[in-house]
Amino acid sequence: MKNLVSIGAGGFGREVVDVVRAINHVQPTYRLLGIIDDGPSKLNLARLAAQDVPYLGTLAAWIAAGAVGATEYVIGIGSGAIKAKIDAILTQEGLAAATLIHPSVTIGSLVTLGEGTILCAGTRFTTNITVGRHVHANPNVTIGHDVVIEDYVSINPAATISGDISIGRGALIGANAFVFQGLRVGKGSTVGASACVTRDVPDDLTVKGVPAR
């Protein structure tokens, strides 16, 4: 069993707990030591307690205490910028990033997943896909052929990425969004929920609507 900590007590962070437990149900793999969060709400702490998951304190305090017992970590936070910052800190501390794949996920041929990637229930990856570090694919995401997803991207539930697409570092694809074939979504950009992207999205831009503008 690998000793794992997860960062983030918010909604996605608690969904990560269920992904870990689904993996362990098929093949015992991880001992989840608990959740780290710099400012959890009282409600989220109560929700963690209901999941029977310990709260381990802030990231700085946990590291100062010697990162007790952990060998691997995963980041359950959607923000690309925050993921990049935490990744740098914990990599420097010598921890490895765990890659979590829910047992219901389907993955085709020639797919490469970066360390720290989390694929939630019902995600579908087809063929010739390259994924960077700490990419999140939320439930029921579909990724088509010949796609490149750079580091720290988050793709929200039921989004569809068609074929031959590139998604830049730290971008966010909203729930139920659709990106047409052959396009690029720039680094740091946000595609709004239910948007339909029909042309390239420049870096650091938010688009929404049908077609997305």
Side-chain angles (χ1 to χ4, degrees):
M1 297 285 281
K2 301 173 183 178
N3 288 343
L4 177 72
V5 294
S6 182
I7 293 80
F12 187 73
R14 287 178 282 105
E15 289 177 351
V16 169
V17 173
D18 288 339
V19 174
V20 172
R21 287 175 172 169
I23 292 168
N24 284 342
H25 182 73
V26 175
Q27 176 65 51
T29 305
Y30 297 104
R31 182 181 294 108
L32 182 61
L33 302 181
I35 299 289
I36 296 164
D37 194 296
D38 283 355
S41 68
K42 290 182 178 179
L43 179 57
N44 282 340
L45 287 175
R47 287 167 169 164
L48 281 181
Q51 285 181 299
D52 196 27
V53 177
Y55 171 58
L56 302 178
T58 68
L59 183 60
W62 181 75
I63 291 172
V68 180
T71 56
E72 298 192 10
Y73 72 97
V74 68
I75 304 172
I77 297 171
S79 166
I82 293 175
K83 284 193 282 188
K85 181 179 179 180
I86 293 171
D87 182 24
I89 292 170
L90 293 181
T91 299
Q92 186 174 5
E93 290 296 318
L95 274 71
T99 299
L100 304 182
I101 302 173
H102 192 281
S104 67
V105 169
T106 61
I107 299 176
S109 58
L110 301 175
V111 173
T112 301
L113 300 177
E115 294 178 345
T117 291
I118 302 171
L119 305 185
C120 294
T123 297
R124 305 288 181 249
F125 276 45
T126 61
T127 187
N128 291 90
I129 298 167
T130 301
V131 177
R133 289 180 66 84
H134 296 285
V135 169
H136 295 167
N138 280 259
N140 299 315
V141 162
T142 299
I143 308 294
H145 60 87
D146 306 305
V147 168
V148 175
I149 303 172
E150 296 180 12
D151 297 344
Y152 312 120
V153 168
S154 288
I155 306 172
N156 284 349
T160 299
I161 309 300
S162 193
D164 195 25
I165 287 169
S166 62
I167 302 177
R169 177 185 170 105
L172 172 66
I173 310 297
N176 285 298
F178 180 82
V179 183
F180 267 79
Q181 185 161 328
L183 300 179
R184 173 170 174 78
V185 176
K187 68 177 180 64
S189 289
T190 298
V191 174
S194 297
C196 183
V197 177
T198 60
R199 56 185 177 180
D200 289 347
V201 178
D203 294 346
D204 302 311
L205 189 71
T206 296
V207 298
K208 58 185 179 179
V210 181
R213 295 191 175 108

Short mmCIF file of all heavy atoms in Angstrom, two decimals, residues 166-210:
data_model
loop_
_atom_site.label_atom_id
_atom_site.label_comp_id
_atom_site.label_asym_id
_atom_site.label_seq_id
_atom_site.Cartn_x
_atom_site.Cartn_y
_atom_site.Cartn_z
N SER A 166 -5.44 20.95 -29.13
CA SER A 166 -4.46 21.18 -28.07
C SER A 166 -5.05 22.14 -27.06
O SER A 166 -5.72 23.11 -27.41
CB SER A 166 -3.14 21.73 -28.65
OG SER A 166 -3.34 22.97 -29.27
N ILE A 167 -4.79 21.83 -25.80
CA ILE A 167 -5.28 22.65 -24.70
C ILE A 167 -4.09 23.10 -23.89
O ILE A 167 -3.32 22.29 -23.38
CB ILE A 167 -6.27 21.87 -23.82
CG1 ILE A 167 -7.45 21.37 -24.66
CG2 ILE A 167 -6.78 22.74 -22.67
CD1 ILE A 167 -8.44 20.52 -23.90
N GLY A 168 -3.91 24.42 -23.77
CA GLY A 168 -2.73 24.98 -23.17
C GLY A 168 -2.68 24.87 -21.66
O GLY A 168 -3.69 24.64 -20.99
N ARG A 169 -1.50 25.03 -21.14
CA ARG A 169 -1.21 24.90 -19.71
C ARG A 169 -2.19 25.72 -18.85
O ARG A 169 -2.42 26.91 -19.10
CB ARG A 169 0.22 25.37 -19.46
CG ARG A 169 0.67 25.37 -18.00
CD ARG A 169 2.06 25.98 -17.92
NE ARG A 169 2.49 26.24 -16.54
CZ ARG A 169 3.38 25.52 -15.88
NH1 ARG A 169 3.95 24.50 -16.46
NH2 ARG A 169 3.71 25.82 -14.64
N GLY A 170 -2.76 25.07 -17.87
CA GLY A 170 -3.61 25.74 -16.89
C GLY A 170 -4.98 26.15 -17.38
O GLY A 170 -5.70 26.87 -16.67
N ALA A 171 -5.38 25.72 -18.56
CA ALA A 171 -6.72 26.08 -19.06
C ALA A 171 -7.81 25.34 -18.28
O ALA A 171 -7.56 24.29 -17.67
CB ALA A 171 -6.82 25.77 -20.55
N LEU A 172 -9.01 25.89 -18.33
CA LEU A 172 -10.18 25.29 -17.70
C LEU A 172 -11.28 25.14 -18.73
O LEU A 172 -11.66 26.12 -19.39
CB LEU A 172 -10.68 26.16 -16.54
CG LEU A 172 -12.01 25.76 -15.91
CD1 LEU A 172 -11.91 24.40 -15.23
CD2 LEU A 172 -12.49 26.82 -14.92
N ILE A 173 -11.79 23.93 -18.90
CA ILE A 173 -12.90 23.65 -19.80
C ILE A 173 -14.14 23.39 -18.95
O ILE A 173 -14.15 22.48 -18.13
CB ILE A 173 -12.62 22.44 -20.71
CG1 ILE A 173 -11.24 22.57 -21.38
CG2 ILE A 173 -13.73 22.27 -21.73
CD1 ILE A 173 -11.10 23.74 -22.31
N GLY A 174 -15.19 24.19 -19.13
CA GLY A 174 -16.37 24.13 -18.28
C GLY A 174 -17.24 22.91 -18.53
O GLY A 174 -17.13 22.22 -19.55
N ALA A 175 -18.14 22.66 -17.60
CA ALA A 175 -19.05 21.52 -17.69
C ALA A 175 -19.90 21.60 -18.95
O ALA A 175 -20.41 22.66 -19.32
CB ALA A 175 -19.95 21.48 -16.46
N ASN A 176 -20.02 20.45 -19.63
CA ASN A 176 -20.84 20.31 -20.85
C ASN A 176 -20.35 21.15 -22.02
O ASN A 176 -21.06 21.29 -23.02
CB ASN A 176 -22.30 20.63 -20.56
CG ASN A 176 -23.01 19.54 -19.81
OD1 ASN A 176 -23.13 18.42 -20.29
ND2 ASN A 176 -23.44 19.85 -18.59
N ALA A 177 -19.15 21.70 -21.93
CA ALA A 177 -18.61 22.45 -23.06
C ALA A 177 -18.20 21.50 -24.18
O ALA A 177 -17.94 20.32 -23.95
CB ALA A 177 -17.42 23.28 -22.62
N PHE A 178 -18.15 22.05 -25.40
CA PHE A 178 -17.73 21.26 -26.57
C PHE A 178 -16.70 22.06 -27.35
O PHE A 178 -16.90 23.25 -27.63
CB PHE A 178 -18.91 20.95 -27.48
CG PHE A 178 -18.55 20.15 -28.70
CD1 PHE A 178 -18.40 18.78 -28.65
CD2 PHE A 178 -18.31 20.79 -29.92
CE1 PHE A 178 -18.04 18.04 -29.77
CE2 PHE A 178 -17.96 20.07 -31.04
CZ PHE A 178 -17.83 18.69 -30.97
N VAL A 179 -15.57 21.41 -27.69
CA VAL A 179 -14.53 22.05 -28.49
C VAL A 179 -14.43 21.32 -29.82
O VAL A 179 -14.17 20.11 -29.86
CB VAL A 179 -13.17 22.03 -27.76
CG1 VAL A 179 -12.12 22.77 -28.58
CG2 VAL A 179 -13.29 22.67 -26.37
N PHE A 180 -14.64 22.07 -30.93
CA PHE A 180 -14.62 21.49 -32.27
C PHE A 180 -13.23 21.00 -32.65
O PHE A 180 -12.22 21.48 -32.13
CB PHE A 180 -15.08 22.52 -33.30
CG PHE A 180 -16.54 22.47 -33.61
CD1 PHE A 180 -17.47 23.05 -32.74
CD2 PHE A 180 -17.02 21.85 -34.75
CE1 PHE A 180 -18.82 23.01 -33.02
CE2 PHE A 180 -18.37 21.79 -35.03
CZ PHE A 180 -19.28 22.38 -34.17
N GLN A 181 -13.21 20.08 -33.62
CA GLN A 181 -11.98 19.45 -34.07
C GLN A 181 -10.98 20.46 -34.62
O GLN A 181 -11.34 21.42 -35.29
CB GLN A 181 -12.30 18.40 -35.12
CG GLN A 181 -11.10 17.59 -35.58
CD GLN A 181 -11.50 16.29 -36.24
OE1 GLN A 181 -12.51 15.70 -35.89
NE2 GLN A 181 -10.71 15.83 -37.19
N GLY A 182 -9.69 20.19 -34.35
CA GLY A 182 -8.61 20.93 -34.97
C GLY A 182 -8.29 22.27 -34.35
O GLY A 182 -7.51 23.04 -34.92
N LEU A 183 -8.81 22.57 -33.17
CA LEU A 183 -8.63 23.89 -32.57
C LEU A 183 -7.61 23.85 -31.43
O LEU A 183 -7.16 22.80 -31.01
CB LEU A 183 -9.97 24.40 -32.04
CG LEU A 183 -11.08 24.56 -33.07
CD1 LEU A 183 -12.36 25.05 -32.41
CD2 LEU A 183 -10.65 25.51 -34.19
N ARG A 184 -7.26 25.06 -30.96
CA ARG A 184 -6.41 25.20 -29.78
C ARG A 184 -7.10 26.09 -28.76
O ARG A 184 -7.66 27.13 -29.12
CB ARG A 184 -5.05 25.80 -30.14
CG ARG A 184 -4.22 26.12 -28.89
CD ARG A 184 -2.78 26.48 -29.18
NE ARG A 184 -2.08 26.92 -27.97
CZ ARG A 184 -1.62 26.12 -27.03
NH1 ARG A 184 -1.76 24.81 -27.15
NH2 ARG A 184 -1.00 26.60 -25.96
N VAL A 185 -7.05 25.66 -27.51
CA VAL A 185 -7.47 26.49 -26.39
C VAL A 185 -6.19 26.94 -25.70
O VAL A 185 -5.39 26.12 -25.25
CB VAL A 185 -8.38 25.73 -25.42
CG1 VAL A 185 -8.72 26.59 -24.20
CG2 VAL A 185 -9.65 25.27 -26.12
N GLY A 186 -5.98 28.25 -25.62
CA GLY A 186 -4.71 28.79 -25.13
C GLY A 186 -4.49 28.60 -23.65
O GLY A 186 -5.42 28.34 -22.87
N LYS A 187 -3.24 28.78 -23.24
CA LYS A 187 -2.87 28.61 -21.83
C LYS A 187 -3.61 29.61 -20.96
O LYS A 187 -3.80 30.78 -21.33
CB LYS A 187 -1.37 28.74 -21.65
CG LYS A 187 -0.80 30.12 -21.88
CD LYS A 187 0.70 30.15 -21.60
CE LYS A 187 1.28 31.53 -21.82
NZ LYS A 187 0.75 32.54 -20.89
N GLY A 188 -4.04 29.16 -19.80
CA GLY A 188 -4.70 30.02 -18.85
C GLY A 188 -6.10 30.46 -19.22
O GLY A 188 -6.70 31.28 -18.51
N SER A 189 -6.63 29.93 -20.29
CA SER A 189 -7.96 30.35 -20.75
C SER A 189 -9.06 29.54 -20.08
O SER A 189 -8.82 28.44 -19.57
CB SER A 189 -8.08 30.23 -22.26
OG SER A 189 -7.29 31.22 -22.89
N THR A 190 -10.28 30.09 -20.10
CA THR A 190 -11.44 29.43 -19.54
C THR A 190 -12.52 29.33 -20.60
O THR A 190 -12.87 30.34 -21.22
CB THR A 190 -11.99 30.20 -18.32
OG1 THR A 190 -11.00 30.23 -17.29
CG2 THR A 190 -13.26 29.55 -17.78
N VAL A 191 -13.03 28.14 -20.80
CA VAL A 191 -14.19 27.92 -21.67
C VAL A 191 -15.39 27.71 -20.75
O VAL A 191 -15.39 26.80 -19.92
CB VAL A 191 -13.98 26.69 -22.57
CG1 VAL A 191 -15.24 26.38 -23.37
CG2 VAL A 191 -12.79 26.93 -23.51
N GLY A 192 -16.40 28.56 -20.87
CA GLY A 192 -17.53 28.53 -19.96
C GLY A 192 -18.37 27.27 -20.09
O GLY A 192 -18.31 26.54 -21.09
N ALA A 193 -19.18 27.03 -19.08
CA ALA A 193 -20.07 25.87 -19.08
C ALA A 193 -21.01 25.92 -20.27
O ALA A 193 -21.56 26.97 -20.61
CB ALA A 193 -20.87 25.83 -17.78
N SER A 194 -21.17 24.77 -20.93
CA SER A 194 -22.07 24.58 -22.08
C SER A 194 -21.68 25.42 -23.29
O SER A 194 -22.47 25.53 -24.24
CB SER A 194 -23.52 24.88 -21.69
OG SER A 194 -23.96 23.98 -20.70
N ALA A 195 -20.47 25.97 -23.31
CA ALA A 195 -20.01 26.73 -24.47
C ALA A 195 -19.69 25.79 -25.63
O ALA A 195 -19.35 24.62 -25.42
CB ALA A 195 -18.78 27.56 -24.11
N CYS A 196 -19.76 26.32 -26.83
CA CYS A 196 -19.40 25.57 -28.04
C CYS A 196 -18.29 26.33 -28.74
O CYS A 196 -18.52 27.41 -29.32
CB CYS A 196 -20.62 25.42 -28.95
SG CYS A 196 -20.31 24.43 -30.42
N VAL A 197 -17.07 25.80 -28.68
CA VAL A 197 -15.90 26.48 -29.21
C VAL A 197 -15.72 26.11 -30.68
O VAL A 197 -15.52 24.93 -31.01
CB VAL A 197 -14.64 26.11 -28.40
CG1 VAL A 197 -13.40 26.77 -28.99
CG2 VAL A 197 -14.81 26.53 -26.95
N THR A 198 -15.80 27.12 -31.56
CA THR A 198 -15.73 26.89 -33.01
C THR A 198 -14.50 27.52 -33.65
O THR A 198 -14.32 27.42 -34.86
CB THR A 198 -16.99 27.43 -33.70
OG1 THR A 198 -17.10 28.84 -33.44
CG2 THR A 198 -18.24 26.72 -33.18
N ARG A 199 -13.68 28.19 -32.85
CA ARG A 199 -12.43 28.77 -33.36
C ARG A 199 -11.42 28.80 -32.22
O ARG A 199 -11.77 28.66 -31.05
CB ARG A 199 -12.66 30.17 -33.93
CG ARG A 199 -13.28 31.15 -32.96
CD ARG A 199 -13.58 32.46 -33.66
NE ARG A 199 -14.24 33.41 -32.77
CZ ARG A 199 -14.61 34.63 -33.13
NH1 ARG A 199 -14.39 35.06 -34.36
NH2 ARG A 199 -15.20 35.43 -32.27
N ASP A 200 -10.16 29.00 -32.55
CA ASP A 200 -9.11 29.00 -31.55
C ASP A 200 -9.40 30.02 -30.44
O ASP A 200 -9.92 31.11 -30.71
CB ASP A 200 -7.76 29.34 -32.18
CG ASP A 200 -7.20 28.21 -33.05
OD1 ASP A 200 -7.74 27.08 -32.97
OD2 ASP A 200 -6.25 28.47 -33.80
N VAL A 201 -9.02 29.65 -29.23
CA VAL A 201 -9.15 30.55 -28.08
C VAL A 201 -7.75 31.03 -27.70
O VAL A 201 -6.88 30.22 -27.39
CB VAL A 201 -9.79 29.83 -26.87
CG1 VAL A 201 -9.86 30.76 -25.67
CG2 VAL A 201 -11.17 29.30 -27.24
N PRO A 202 -7.50 32.35 -27.73
CA PRO A 202 -6.17 32.85 -27.36
C PRO A 202 -5.83 32.58 -25.90
O PRO A 202 -6.70 32.22 -25.10
CB PRO A 202 -6.29 34.37 -27.63
CG PRO A 202 -7.44 34.52 -28.56
CD PRO A 202 -8.39 33.42 -28.20
N ASP A 203 -4.58 32.81 -25.54
CA ASP A 203 -4.14 32.65 -24.16
C ASP A 203 -4.89 33.60 -23.24
O ASP A 203 -5.24 34.73 -23.63
CB ASP A 203 -2.65 32.93 -24.03
CG ASP A 203 -1.77 31.93 -24.77
OD1 ASP A 203 -2.29 30.86 -25.17
OD2 ASP A 203 -0.57 32.21 -24.94
N ASP A 204 -5.12 33.15 -22.01
CA ASP A 204 -5.62 34.00 -20.92
C ASP A 204 -6.91 34.73 -21.27
O ASP A 204 -7.10 35.90 -20.95
CB ASP A 204 -4.54 35.03 -20.51
CG ASP A 204 -3.25 34.36 -20.08
OD1 ASP A 204 -3.31 33.43 -19.25
OD2 ASP A 204 -2.18 34.75 -20.59
N LEU A 205 -7.83 34.02 -21.89
CA LEU A 205 -9.11 34.61 -22.30
C LEU A 205 -10.24 33.72 -21.80
O LEU A 205 -10.11 32.50 -21.73
CB LEU A 205 -9.17 34.72 -23.82
CG LEU A 205 -10.34 35.50 -24.41
CD1 LEU A 205 -10.17 36.99 -24.13
CD2 LEU A 205 -10.43 35.27 -25.92
N THR A 206 -11.36 34.34 -21.44
CA THR A 206 -12.57 33.60 -21.08
C THR A 206 -13.58 33.71 -22.21
O THR A 206 -13.88 34.82 -22.69
CB THR A 206 -13.18 34.15 -19.78
OG1 THR A 206 -12.27 33.95 -18.71
CG2 THR A 206 -14.49 33.44 -19.44
N VAL A 207 -14.09 32.56 -22.65
CA VAL A 207 -15.12 32.55 -23.69
C VAL A 207 -16.33 31.79 -23.19
O VAL A 207 -16.22 30.89 -22.36
CB VAL A 207 -14.61 31.93 -25.01
CG1 VAL A 207 -13.45 32.75 -25.57
CG2 VAL A 207 -14.17 30.49 -24.82
N LYS A 208 -17.51 32.16 -23.69
CA LYS A 208 -18.73 31.48 -23.29
C LYS A 208 -19.77 31.65 -24.38
O LYS A 208 -19.66 32.51 -25.25
CB LYS A 208 -19.25 32.03 -21.96
CG LYS A 208 -19.53 33.52 -21.97
CD LYS A 208 -19.94 34.00 -20.58
CE LYS A 208 -20.19 35.51 -20.58
NZ LYS A 208 -20.62 35.99 -19.23
N GLY A 209 -20.80 30.80 -24.33
CA GLY A 209 -21.90 30.92 -25.27
C GLY A 209 -21.79 29.96 -26.43
O GLY A 209 -20.86 29.17 -26.57
N VAL A 210 -22.79 30.04 -27.31
CA VAL A 210 -22.88 29.20 -28.51
C VAL A 210 -23.15 30.10 -29.72
O VAL A 210 -24.23 30.64 -29.84
CB VAL A 210 -24.01 28.15 -28.37
CG1 VAL A 210 -24.07 27.26 -29.61
CG2 VAL A 210 -23.82 27.30 -27.13
#
